[in-house]
Amino acid sequence: MQEAYIVSSVRTAIGKAPRGKLRNMRSDDLGAIALKTALEKVPDLDVNQIEDVIFGCAFPEAEQGMNLGRVIAERSGLPDSVAGATVNRFCASGLQAIAMAHQAIITGQADVMVAGGAESMSLIPMGGHDMLPNPTLVAEMPQLYCTMGATAETVTQQYDISRADQDAFALRSHQRAIQAIQSGRFNDELVPVPIRETLYADGKPQVVESIVKTDEGPRSDTNLEALSKLPAVFRVGGSVTAGNSSQMSDGAAATILVSETKLKEFNLQPLARMLGFAVAGVPPEIMGIGPVVAVPKVLQQVGLRLEEIGLIELNEAFAAQSLAVIRKLGLNEEIVNVNGGAIALGHPLGCTGARVTATLLHEMKRRGIRYGLATMCVGGGMGAAAVFENLMR
């Protein structure tokens, strides 16, 4: 097998859905912005040699339907010879896309690949426009269609996660994200998004242009008192609130991978490489603990111990499930989501796996960390995890 190298990984600023500044931006446009910027980071790469563009999307319909990956390739101005595909593993879709691109290269099926994720939760609602569950499974296994918030409440009970601990975890996510923004730690990975809107004042249209260059989710004004007053939203007497859950969001991310042959041919600088990727299933009603089974699986695959992992991006679908995973796996909280997570930054579903990859790789480079882990729970009862090696130490 040949080696596969990541040479560029970026993500857009993340907008709040459904009323943030990116609310009218199509996910294919967001994906194209991310892809074009990722290519700008490697100007010596011949785009004619890109073989496929794989993008993850959790609800690939309506504005983000019609094979999002191919649409993004064309929207980015790539040659018609560049193919495109869309992959759906819900919250792990973006990470799955990167893994598939990696697999294509190491097996010799491709030399240059683009992978990423894009999602507009402003335009496509959670669950899609017309959810039609399988009638047999509704009768025999209704937990498969359990809402994500309800699964989080079940996790709080099974893993004894208190409301106070959830709110404290959420506050820390915001504090870390604000600190990261203020210190410029996202600058190398972040792609500004130009916005052009037609607004009406006194019945007259006015074109307003702006640039979204900062994540909209993190709040510097939140505190434990405010978080503790929020009501439970998924279960009467529950503890999962809007404040300790991930935010609905809009965004995109893109990563470019090449073989060793093309790395040398175009004299590219490798950022990192994916060492391994694993998925695993858990009961749907406690889908949040998915990383508990996926992480040991990928670590065994790559021959590493948890103690050798220097940085971890654990998607914060909910504070409850994040804490359950951290405690069950025995993760060092000081190296988990050091720049905040989805509770503060947002969770644009199909984009998130690619977003956390970009964040992880750039932070590994900044800190000189050799091994990093990206992991998340996945709707329907799954977990996904990938190990990356930093090549810029």
Side-chain angles (χ1 to χ4, degrees):
M1 293 194 298
Q2 61 180 348
E3 290 286 355
Y5 296 93
I6 294 173
V7 294
S8 179
S9 189
V10 301
R11 54 96 175 184
T12 67
I14 304 300
K16 289 175 67 69
R19 292 180 289 275
K21 292 181 179 179
L22 301 183
R23 65 190 181 280
N24 295 320
M25 285 287 293
R26 293 172 58 102
S27 51
D28 45 21
D29 286 331
L30 288 170
I33 290 170
L35 194 161
K36 286 188 285 188
T37 304
L39 287 172
E40 289 172 2
K41 301 280 187 179
V42 283
D44 293 331
L45 179 66
D46 180 2
V47 297
N48 291 286
Q49 298 202 32
I50 298 173
E51 292 169 75
D52 208 358
V53 173
I54 307 175
F55 259 71
C57 182
F59 293 98
E61 59 175 88
E63 289 92 340
Q64 52 193 32
M66 298 300 291
N67 190 357
L68 185 68
R70 175 62 171 172
V71 173
I72 288 174
E74 293 286 359
R75 187 71 179 87
S76 302
L78 293 178
D80 290 341
S81 59
V82 179
T86 307
V87 60
N88 181 7
R89 199 187 288 276
F90 284 159
C91 305
S93 298
L95 188 61
Q96 179 71 59
I98 294 171
M100 291 172 69
H102 171 265
Q103 291 159 1
I105 292 175
I106 66 172
T107 56
Q109 296 177 339
D111 281 302
V112 182
M113 298 284 290
V114 176
E119 197 88 29
S120 171
M121 299 184 75
S122 292
L123 298 177
I124 312 298
M126 187 75 172
H129 288 296
D130 189 17
M131 183 180 178
L132 296 171
N134 183 280
T136 301
L137 286 174
V138 168
E140 299 177 358
M141 194 182 185
Q143 63 269 31
L144 182 64
Y145 301 106
C146 185
T147 66
M148 297 300 96
T151 69
E153 286 287 7
T154 301
V155 167
T156 67
Q157 295 176 345
Q158 291 197 17
Y159 291 85
D160 193 26
I161 309 297
S162 71
R163 168 67 184 269
D165 285 350
Q166 293 176 63
D167 290 343
F169 184 89
L171 178 61
R172 186 177 65 183
S173 183
H174 282 280
Q175 291 173 333
R176 286 182 171 181
I178 290 295
Q179 185 179 40
I181 291 171
Q182 292 177 343
S183 62
R185 291 204 294 272
F186 292 138
N187 291 353
D188 290 342
E189 71 190 63
L190 200 142
V191 177
V193 180
I195 302 294
R196 191 173 189 271
E197 296 181 293
T198 300
L199 304 178
Y200 289 83
D202 298 324
K204 297 180 180 179
Q206 180 181 9
V207 175
V208 177
E209 296 183 351
S210 61
I211 296 178
V212 180
K213 55 185 178 180
T214 304
D215 299 309
E216 293 185 325
R219 297 186 55 172
S220 60
D221 60 346
T222 193
N223 53 58
L224 280 179
E225 182 181 4
L227 288 168
S228 67
K229 291 179 179 178
L230 295 173
V233 292
F234 299 106
R235 184 174 295 174
V236 175
S239 60
V240 179
T241 72
N244 56 41
S245 304
S246 60
Q247 300 182 36
M248 294 193 299
S249 311
D250 309 319
T255 293
I256 300 174
L257 302 91
V258 302
S259 67
E260 186 170 6
T261 299
K262 297 303 177 182
L263 187 80
K264 294 177 179 177
E265 179 180 336
F266 296 114
N267 193 29
L268 304 176
Q269 177 67 52
L271 177 62
R273 62 186 182 125
M274 176 183 274
L275 297 183
F277 173 75
V279 294
V282 297
E285 64 271 23
I286 51 172
M287 69 92 201
I289 67 161
V292 170
V293 290
V295 169
K297 189 175 179 180
V298 77
L299 289 176
Q300 182 179 28
Q301 182 187 116
V302 302
L304 290 175
R305 294 174 291 107
L306 185 60
E307 293 76 18
E308 295 178 88
I309 301 297
L311 208 58
I312 299 171
E313 281 290 325
L314 166 65
N315 185 45
E316 299 169 357
F318 300 91
Q321 63 82 209
S322 297
L323 287 167
V325 169
I326 288 170
R327 293 171 183 177
K328 188 69 175 178
L329 288 176
L331 304 183
N332 177 2
E333 293 192 52
E334 295 305 310
I335 64 170
V336 175
N337 300 351
V338 295
N339 294 324
I343 290 175
L345 295 168
H347 179 18
L349 298 179
C351 162
T352 292
R355 194 283 297 172
V356 300
T357 297
T359 299
L360 175 66
L361 298 186
H362 286 283
E363 191 62 29
M364 288 169 65
K365 175 183 175 182
R366 187 165 24 253
R367 294 178 177 229
I369 299 294
R370 182 173 185 180
Y371 298 121
L373 172 73
T375 185
M376 64 273 302
C377 59
V378 183
M382 293 177 283
V387 173
F388 296 90
E389 181 182 17
N390 172 24
L391 300 178
M392 296 287 286
R393 303 190 309 280

